[in-house]
Amino acid sequence: MSAKSTTKTGTRPAPAAASSSNSSASPESVPKVTRIVFTALLLDILAFTIILPLFPRLLQFYRDSEHGDQASLLAWSLSRLTEFQSAIGLNDAKSPSSSSIKRPPKMDIVLLGGALGSLFSVLQFIASPIIGKLSDILGRRRVLLISMLGNLISCAVWLFSSTFELFVLSRIIGGLSEGNVQLSIAMISDITTPATRSKGLAMVGIAFAIAFTVGPALGAYFANKDLVAAWPGLAQYGLHPFSGSALLALVLLTVESLYLYARLPETNSESWRLAVQQTVQQETTDDASGPSSSSTPVTTKPASTSSSPTAGLDQEKIQALQQSYLSVLSFTHFAHLFLFSGMEFTLTFLTFHLFDFSHMQQGALLGYIGILSSLLQGGYVRRRAHIVGEKRMVLQGMVAAAIGLGSIALVSGGGGSTTTLLGGKSTLFPAYVIDAIEWLDTQEWSRKTRMWGLYAGATGLAVTSATVVNCLTSLASLVCDMGSNDSLPTPASTSSTTTTTKKQPIGKGLALGRFRSWGQLGRAAGPIAACSLYWRVGPLVCYGTASVAVFAVAFLASRILPEVRKLPIRTRAAAAASTKKTK
């Protein structure tokens, strides 16, 4: 079959492929393309994470430089955040009443950083389905390069954003144009089979873990390189003390863009779909032949239509089934990230107020989570997901999160901080309970035990980071393949020049874009809800409630998430394996 063949059947037109895409489409090229996608994604997330440790000082810089300007966007934003803090019971009173809590220092700056993070996630919620749909129509490579242009513009604006308004504009541009993560997932899904899907997508998680471990350190280091001091004349163009970090992010994105333009082939093409089908057919032949293949010749035959779980279903019914599964996965994605990202956001509050962590200790804790997550993704998820099962790994990660959050809740008592955070001894807990917690906090052995408990909880969060989102994404990608074997040519018909290849019932880019958008909505809403709960009722109740909620989501997920082996995907391979077992 010609890779350039076009067809009018299906729901999406074939995208125009790059000149090198057809020649590189083969099973042997999968590791090479996966490495290209991984390298580019790592550069992209490194550029994204550079700004994370700079938010407090960067926002304080804008606050100092725009002090007294009540008409500025920054003044309006801080005013709204002050109202929010009053609504959740935080104030500046020296003797807070039983219904209010002493406002922690620089709380408005911390919340403003969280609000900007939520803004970015909301914009991703809007943009992700659009980017995914465009990649189905125009091709992954072309849309990714266009999104990279938006990222470059965003960093260029940040480089010269001497005002808070320009900085917010750079975040808006970045939020609307960032598409590397979802397009990387779509590209890996394009070139892998169900047996290798989780292994390939685990590389996305590994890139995240490495970048979130290294990127913030790079950002903090280059923030000390003041370009204004080096080139004072450029200050009139908007250069600011944090332009060094912005320049580093711009350089990384420029290198990534050039690398993608030179090396990345188009994966959303007929040639890649045919290459994947050939790999699946080879897997089917190997499964059917078994250990007796040396003595008994095996003839590969097309599976009869009756052996396919989608036999007798038209495209509309298959698509309705896909939409049902994707809705379940999107809800689970939203619920998980709503809870997990909220607790993740408040973790630094807890370690600062209850454990008096320094910046180095904060970095050590977050680095421990990132490194352990990376090792788990490389050593466990990539190697075992297709054996253990994606659904089971999702449940393992959720249970680990529930246990980890419960562990943090149990060790979150802490002297005067406890009474401050709980709003006095007359609320929620009897006085003797808080007195006991205060006494335990004064004991050295108790503090060491609580530190071990904190790191035990962090271990649970690392397991969650390594498993849940990666495996939910794998499930969503596999659902997009439902019935795809029924629409691809059989081995006997591949040599026919008149064969017409049908499209998959649903565009993979659009489906994965929608799936990711619901996760981003959870990331946007979670920190707001968790912050409100944390400061109203304290860490013990906040983390304890989150632990119970995650357990509830895990139980629900165990009942509603689809099983890969029960999905009607790659049906010839499934039929061959089933036939082999019955024999």
Side-chain angles (χ1 to χ4, degrees):
M1 179 185 295
S2 172
K4 297 181 180 180
S5 62
T6 59
T7 177
K8 295 183 180 180
T9 62
T11 58
R12 54 183 171 86
S19 59
S20 62
S21 64
N22 290 340
S23 60
S24 64
S26 67
E28 294 75 18
S29 302
V30 173
K32 176 183 177 182
V33 176
T34 302
R35 284 194 298 270
I36 294 172
V37 173
F38 170 79
T39 303
L41 182 61
L42 180 60
L43 291 172
D44 190 83
I45 305 175
L46 280 173
F48 173 80
T49 56
I50 280 173
I51 196 174
L52 297 183
L54 308 182
F55 266 124
R57 287 194 293 163
L58 182 62
L59 296 177
Q60 187 63 50
F61 161 75
Y62 289 124
R63 188 177 190 177
D64 294 340
S65 61
E66 299 181 20
H67 181 71
D69 185 2
Q70 298 302 317
S72 66
L73 176 62
L74 179 59
W76 180 87
S77 301
L78 291 174
S79 176
R80 301 289 78 77
L81 288 174
T82 299
E83 295 174 2
F84 171 73
Q85 292 177 72
S86 298
I88 63 176
L90 293 174
N91 60 30
D92 289 321
K94 294 183 179 180
S95 300
S97 66
S98 60
S99 61
S100 61
I101 307 165
K102 182 70 168 65
R103 190 197 312 270
K106 299 182 179 180
M107 184 64 178
D108 49 357
I109 294 297
V110 173
L111 290 178
L112 183 57
L116 288 174
S118 294
L119 172 64
F120 187 92
S121 295
V122 169
L123 294 172
Q124 282 282 278
F125 169 74
I126 297 171
S128 292
I130 299 173
I131 293 174
K133 179 64 175 178
L134 289 175
S135 74
D136 287 334
I137 298 173
L138 302 177
R140 317 278 190 232
R141 182 179 186 272
R142 182 180 299 177
V143 174
L144 180 55
L145 290 174
I146 293 173
S147 74
M148 290 304 304
L149 178 61
N151 289 338
L152 288 170
I153 294 174
S154 172
C155 275
V157 173
W158 178 31
L159 180 63
F160 296 100
S161 60
S162 59
T163 64
F164 181 70
E165 285 81 359
L166 281 176
F167 177 69
V168 172
L169 176 62
S170 72
R171 299 297 292 172
I172 292 175
I173 296 173
L176 291 175
S177 59
E178 172 58 44
N180 196 305
V181 176
Q182 72 178 87
L183 292 177
S184 295
I185 292 171
M187 287 185 289
I188 292 175
S189 301
D190 287 336
I191 64 176
T192 54
T193 68
T196 59
R197 185 69 48 82
S198 295
K199 180 178 180 180
L201 290 179
M203 298 300 294
V204 175
I206 293 173
F208 264 96
I210 294 174
F212 272 83
T213 303
V214 178
L218 286 175
Y221 174 78
F222 278 88
N224 296 322
K225 309 298 180 181
D226 191 350
L227 298 185
V228 176
W231 297 292
L234 294 179
Q236 60 180 323
Y237 299 106
L239 217 62
H240 53 87
F242 299 90
S243 292
S245 297
L247 180 60
L248 174 62
L250 184 62
V251 170
L252 288 174
L253 291 176
T254 301
V255 172
E256 179 193 359
S257 300
L258 295 174
Y259 179 72
L260 287 171
Y261 182 81
R263 301 292 303 277
L264 182 68
E266 175 55 60
T267 62
N268 186 24
S269 63
E270 295 297 333
S271 56
W272 268 110
R273 280 188 280 276
L274 184 59
V276 170
Q277 174 64 1
Q278 291 172 348
T279 304
V280 173
Q281 291 168 359
Q282 183 60 47
E283 292 172 353
T284 304
T285 302
D286 294 341
D287 287 340
S289 60
S292 61
S293 58
S294 58
S295 59
T296 305
V298 176
T299 304
T300 304
K301 296 181 180 180
S304 63
T305 56
S306 62
S307 67
S308 171
T310 55
L313 295 180
D314 58 24
Q315 294 292 76
E316 291 184 0
K317 291 182 179 179
I318 293 175
Q319 189 168 359
L321 193 59
Q322 286 178 308
Q323 293 289 2
S324 175
Y325 284 145
L326 287 171
S327 296
V328 167
L329 288 164
S330 296
F331 167 76
T332 307
H333 195 202
F334 167 81
H336 168 71
L337 285 181
F338 176 81
L339 295 169
F340 184 78
S341 65
M343 294 302 100
E344 190 178 44
F345 181 73
T346 60
L347 185 61
T348 54
F349 295 155
L350 183 143
T351 53
F352 176 75
H353 287 98
L354 300 185
F355 292 90
D356 196 26
F357 268 20
S358 65
H359 291 302
M360 289 293 293
Q361 289 173 308
Q362 295 275 21
L365 178 63
L366 297 178
Y368 169 76
I369 295 175
I371 293 172
L372 180 57
S373 175
S374 178
L375 293 174
L376 287 171
Q377 288 178 90
Y380 178 58
V381 177
R382 286 195 78 227
R383 298 172 185 272
R384 304 290 297 177
H386 66 288
I387 300 173
V388 175
E390 287 81 358
K391 178 179 178 178
R392 184 175 296 180
M393 275 200 174
V394 168
L395 299 179
Q396 289 175 354
M398 288 184 175
V399 170
I403 295 174
L405 293 173
S407 176
I408 294 174
L410 291 176
V411 302
S412 61
S417 298
T418 301
T419 56
T420 299
L421 292 172
L422 295 180
K425 295 187 178 183
S426 62
T427 65
L428 296 179
F429 298 100
Y432 65 86
V433 173
I434 295 182
D435 288 339
I437 293 175
E438 290 178 344
W439 178 81
L440 286 173
D441 191 53
T442 62
Q443 307 303 307
E444 182 63 25
W445 61 266
S446 175
R447 180 175 177 82
K448 291 181 179 179
T449 302
R450 290 167 56 227
M451 191 66 66
W452 280 105
L454 175 65
Y455 270 84
T459 301
L461 299 183
V463 174
T464 307
S465 298
T467 54
V468 177
V469 174
N470 286 335
C471 292
L472 282 175
T473 304
S474 296
L475 280 173
S477 173
L478 290 167
V479 166
C480 294
D481 288 339
M482 282 172 53
S484 59
N485 263 5
D486 298 322
S487 62
L488 285 170
T490 65
S493 63
T494 52
S495 60
S496 173
T497 57
T498 60
T499 299
T500 301
T501 301
K502 296 181 181 179
K503 303 297 180 186
Q504 295 178 8
I506 187 170
K508 191 174 293 184
L510 175 60
L512 294 176
R514 288 174 177 170
F515 169 79
R516 175 174 164 76
S517 73
W518 283 104
Q520 291 300 306
L521 185 62
R523 285 192 182 278
I528 298 173
C531 187
S532 302
L533 185 64
Y534 182 92
W535 293 112
R536 287 298 300 174
V537 301
L540 178 60
V541 176
C542 179
Y543 278 81
T545 301
S547 177
V548 173
V550 172
F551 263 124
V553 172
F555 175 76
L556 182 62
S558 70
R559 307 303 296 261
I560 64 176
L561 287 183
E563 299 256 9
V564 171
R565 63 177 178 272
K566 295 182 181 179
L567 290 177
I569 57 175
R570 303 301 182 202
T571 54
R572 293 193 188 92
S578 177
T579 302
K580 180 183 176 182
K581 287 182 180 179
T582 58
K583 291 181 179 180

